[in-house]
Amino acid sequence: MTTTRGPGRPRDQAKGVAILDAGWALFLERGVGAVSIEAIAARAGVSKMTVYKHFTDKHALFEEAVLREMRAIKTMQIVQPTSQADDLKGALRAFGIGIMSYLATGAAVDFYNVLAGELRRHPDIARTFYDIGPGRTISNLASILAGAGDRLVIDDPIKAAEALFGLWQGASNFQLSLGVDAEGAGQAIAERVDYGIAIFMRAFSRPAP
């Protein structure tokens, strides 16, 4: 978290954002351990003392940068349950393409590849990130499925959401993380989402009366 300050001149918010941007970029490039305050200051175009005026150390900066990323992910997770057949498929498709496109971005891939180990050393923030990120994704997808009870036979929306998400993801996470046909994995998102929805609907659709 950021340092506290007594009465006096407010910190320059633009510099604070620049420091966060610089630190986040360097953490993704090198990992937290290999990044120094001096490097962050140089990337942000500020002095070392200016960095310390905003953050107690690089780990506090890392924590704030992760929290900022979580807030960005949270804004993506606004969905409305639906019970109409056509709207259901459309909602699932929009949700699937949205989240899978985000996970295919370089920043998301780098985050999991480079910074997952750092998060494990901060269990509280790791738990919070999971709850707001992957956990919220599954929960919101489950809410769509739970709102379609007239069309789907689902006894456990969370498990069903995990199954659908798995169909969407396939082996793409390995491809993206390892850089094996990463471009192809990104280009195939819509096709993979549509295929997953088709399989899911065949498995869970309520039989016609």
Side-chain angles (χ1 to χ4, degrees):
M1 63 181 63
T2 56
T3 56
T4 58
R5 286 168 58 88
R9 183 180 178 184
R11 288 177 303 213
D12 187 327
Q13 295 303 311
K15 288 182 179 179
V17 172
I19 292 167
L20 270 178
D21 290 343
W24 186 243
L26 287 168
F27 293 151
L28 291 177
E29 291 172 13
R30 309 176 190 177
V32 177
V35 175
S36 65
I37 290 293
E38 290 81 0
I40 294 170
R43 177 71 68 92
V46 301
S47 70
K48 181 178 175 180
M49 289 307 300
T50 299
V51 176
Y52 281 122
K53 286 179 182 178
H54 287 78
F55 303 96
T56 55
D57 54 31
K58 69 177 179 180
H59 295 290
L61 196 160
F62 169 72
E63 181 176 333
E64 181 59 31
V66 172
L67 290 172
R68 186 177 66 166
E69 184 72 6
M70 288 191 297
R71 289 191 289 270
I73 294 173
K74 187 176 180 179
T75 63
M76 298 174 53
Q77 301 297 312
I78 301 173
V79 296
Q80 294 295 329
T82 179
S83 60
Q84 298 299 316
D86 292 340
D87 289 345
L88 173 61
K89 291 180 181 179
L92 292 176
R93 190 174 195 273
F95 190 100
I97 291 176
I99 190 61
M100 297 311 300
S101 295
Y102 170 77
L103 293 176
T105 63
V109 173
D110 288 344
F111 176 81
Y112 285 104
N113 284 351
V114 178
L115 300 180
E118 187 68 26
L119 279 177
R120 283 196 293 271
R121 290 188 283 274
H122 297 78
D124 290 342
I125 193 171
R127 178 78 247 182
T128 302
F129 180 82
Y130 178 83
D131 289 343
I132 295 179
R136 179 69 61 84
T137 296
I138 295 301
S139 178
N140 284 338
L141 181 54
S143 74
I144 296 177
L145 301 177
D150 60 332
R151 298 288 179 175
L152 303 176
V153 180
I154 295 176
D155 58 351
D156 189 326
I158 292 292
K159 289 182 179 178
E162 290 176 348
L164 179 54
F165 187 80
L167 288 169
W168 287 342
Q169 193 168 52
S172 64
N173 57 323
F174 297 111
Q175 291 174 289
L176 293 166
S177 294
L178 296 173
V180 176
D181 194 23
E183 183 177 354
Q187 292 174 347
I189 287 173
E191 179 183 355
R192 194 165 56 248
V193 166
D194 288 339
Y195 185 71
I197 292 172
I199 292 175
F200 184 86
M201 295 300 289
R202 286 200 296 270
F204 289 95
S205 290
R206 186 175 295 279

